[in-house]
Amino acid sequence: MEKIRIKDIAERAGVSVGTVDRVLHNRPNVSAPAREKVEKALKEMEYQPNVYASALAYNKTYVFYALIPQHESEAYWEEIEQGVQKAIEVRRDFNINVKIMYYERFNNNSFIDCYTQCLASNPNGIIIVPQDIETTKQFTDILHEQQIPFVMLDSYMPDLKPLSFFGQDSFCSGYFAAKMLMLIASNEKEIMLFKQMKDGKVTSKQQVNREVGFRHYMHDHFPQIKITELCVPFKGTRSEYDAILKEFFEQHPDTHHCITLNSKAHIVGEFLLRNNMRDIQIMGYDMVAKNAECLRQGSMSFIIAQHGYQQGYSCVDTLFKAIVLKKKVQPVNYMPIELLTKENVDFYRRTQL
């Protein structure tokens, strides 16, 4: 298709080149009749502005912040960070910088300190992994007031009106997890639900919603199967976890299948391998290296993957499109609910975009 020049538009509309330029960049000092002529010419000529070239020509620097929980290496959040770094690399020409800040889960003061520092830097856009809704709302109210766009990651809180959200549909994910587990555990009398807790709570709203979906399926289809919770401390040591698990399996010798709704299935999986307990398996979330190895070794039955890398990439890319290119973006973006087994885990591409 032949490139349409500003000169061509000006001739078609019967106005000056300067007038066309002002209309294209939404600048003042254009009369209503002149603007109408230019807009009519643009429509007739099917003109499509090169938003990428315009953004490059503007040569502005953009700073985005990502507020995520503190985490260990080889965790789900590390995949998120790798996706963020890839997005920065891809958009290098547009002078985009993303600064990652970490807060402590369950610590509202840590989250508040984190977002206070963030606000002091006058960011152009923000990616948030939310804390509880009340504390997060304090932050997002300020962002709305200051007209700073923000994207939510992992846990969806629609009442806070984010620009966009990336993550799984937690209820459907938990429902799906139960359905897949029952393919191999339908004849069991009891299954174990492994939960990491702090102050009587699990580590995220997402896990709460997954459990609702999980229990909904079990209640409707396998009400006879007992779900026994095993709650362990959020930051326990291996020896602490081993002692708790040893006691549990001694007291529940008929339990052969377990599930956790977070990325730490390997805590149980590695215990089972070390103790040669080959008749027990656990199912869990996220394609992190330790989980994948447990799957290969047979102590883990399934992994539900959710493309953490893609989520991190997409959050940055969405802010880029909305803020730099001034494009409309998709408000809700549910990630795939993918089931990995020993047979297909090595073909999973976590960096696929």
Side-chain angles (χ1 to χ4, degrees), residues 24-58:
L24 289 175
H25 294 91
N26 201 27
R27 297 188 183 116
N29 303 320
V30 179
S31 67
R35 183 177 296 277
E36 189 176 323
K37 289 179 182 178
V38 173
E39 289 175 349
K40 182 182 179 185
L42 292 172
K43 187 174 181 180
E44 290 173 350
M45 299 172 78
E46 298 182 346
Y47 174 77
Q48 295 292 328
N50 188 334
V51 290
Y52 285 88
S54 298
L56 283 169
Y58 195 44

Side-chain angles (χ1 to χ4, degrees), residues 67 103-104 107-116 128-132 135-137 139:
L67 277 62
Y103 66 87
E104 184 181 345
N107 187 333
N108 285 343
N109 288 332
S110 173
F111 184 76
I112 292 168
D113 288 345
C114 197
Y115 80 62
T116 300
I128 307 171
V129 177
Q131 188 78 331
D132 63 80
T135 307
T136 307
K137 187 176 186 300
F139 182 28

Side-chain angles (χ1 to χ4, degrees), residues 35-305:
R35 183 177 296 277
E36 189 176 323
K37 289 179 182 178
V38 173
E39 289 175 349
K40 182 182 179 185
L42 292 172
K43 187 174 181 180
E44 290 173 350
M45 299 172 78
E46 298 182 346
Y47 174 77
Q48 295 292 328
N50 188 334
V51 290
Y52 285 88
S54 298
L56 283 169
Y58 195 44
N59 199 32
K60 181 180 176 181
T61 297
Y62 300 88
V63 178
F64 303 152
Y65 274 75
L67 277 62
I68 69 174
Q70 296 170 359
H71 59 84
E72 305 166 354
S73 62
E74 290 192 346
Y76 161 68
W77 303 109
E78 192 172 58
E79 279 198 63
I80 300 282
E81 289 190 41
Q82 291 169 357
V84 166
Q85 295 303 325
K86 180 63 176 180
I88 296 170
E89 179 186 326
V90 169
R91 303 301 184 189
R92 187 189 302 115
D93 292 344
F94 293 88
N95 302 316
I96 289 173
N97 185 25
V98 181
K99 297 183 179 180
I100 299 176
M101 299 184 73
Y102 303 96
Y103 66 87
E104 184 181 345
R105 279 278 195 187
F106 302 111
N107 187 333
N108 285 343
N109 288 332
S110 173
F111 184 76
I112 292 168
D113 288 345
C114 197
Y115 80 62
T116 300
Q117 293 178 49
C118 173
L119 289 169
S121 301
N122 298 314
N124 300 101
I126 297 178
I127 300 163
I128 307 171
V129 177
Q131 188 78 331
D132 63 80
I133 190 165
E134 293 81 10
T135 307
T136 307
K137 187 176 186 300
Q138 295 172 21
F139 182 28
T140 58
D141 282 350
I142 298 171
L143 296 179
H144 284 301
E145 183 182 327
Q146 298 186 5
Q147 297 185 323
I148 300 173
F150 64 92
V151 173
M152 281 194 154
L153 175 63
D154 190 57
S155 296
Y156 187 31
M157 298 179 178
D159 291 347
L160 303 189
K161 297 180 173 60
L163 171 71
S164 190
F165 162 75
F166 287 89
Q168 283 186 343
D169 182 315
S170 302
F171 178 90
C172 288
S173 176
Y175 194 94
F176 175 80
K179 193 172 187 178
M180 295 301 100
L181 181 60
M182 287 302 103
L183 293 177
I184 57 174
S186 61
N187 293 325
E188 299 296 312
K189 295 180 180 178
E190 178 182 25
I191 59 171
M192 182 255 274
L193 174 60
F194 182 78
K195 300 168 74 169
Q196 285 183 297
M197 310 286 283
K198 184 173 181 181
D199 301 327
K201 299 178 181 178
V202 295
T203 53
S204 72
K205 180 175 180 286
Q206 185 186 56
Q207 286 179 56
V208 172
N209 291 338
R210 284 175 182 168
E211 185 172 340
V212 173
F214 175 81
R215 288 185 178 276
H216 195 280
Y217 180 88
M218 295 300 293
H219 177 271
D220 286 354
H221 299 279
F222 292 91
Q224 77 280 8
I225 296 181
K226 182 181 179 182
I227 301 170
T228 303
E229 292 188 6
L230 178 62
C231 300
V232 302
F234 178 53
K235 289 187 176 180
T237 63
R238 177 196 276 190
S239 60
E240 287 174 331
Y241 290 146
D242 281 2
I244 294 169
L245 289 166
K246 183 175 182 292
E247 181 181 5
F248 177 87
F249 288 116
E250 285 176 350
Q251 294 178 357
H252 299 81
D254 295 328
T255 297
H256 303 107
H257 290 279
C258 316
I259 186 168
T260 185
L261 302 173
N262 64 22
S263 62
K264 298 303 178 80
H266 58 82
I267 292 174
V268 179
E270 289 173 343
F271 170 84
L272 297 174
L273 292 173
R274 287 195 303 272
N275 291 275
N276 199 30
M277 301 170 72
R278 295 290 176 175
D279 61 336
I280 304 171
Q281 292 181 311
I282 185 167
M283 175 182 182
Y285 277 75
D286 298 321
M287 174 54 179
V288 296
K290 290 180 179 179
N291 283 347
E293 188 57 29
C294 287
L295 192 64
R296 294 186 191 100
Q297 295 293 325
S299 64
M300 199 164 173
S301 52
F302 300 118
I303 295 174
I304 293 182

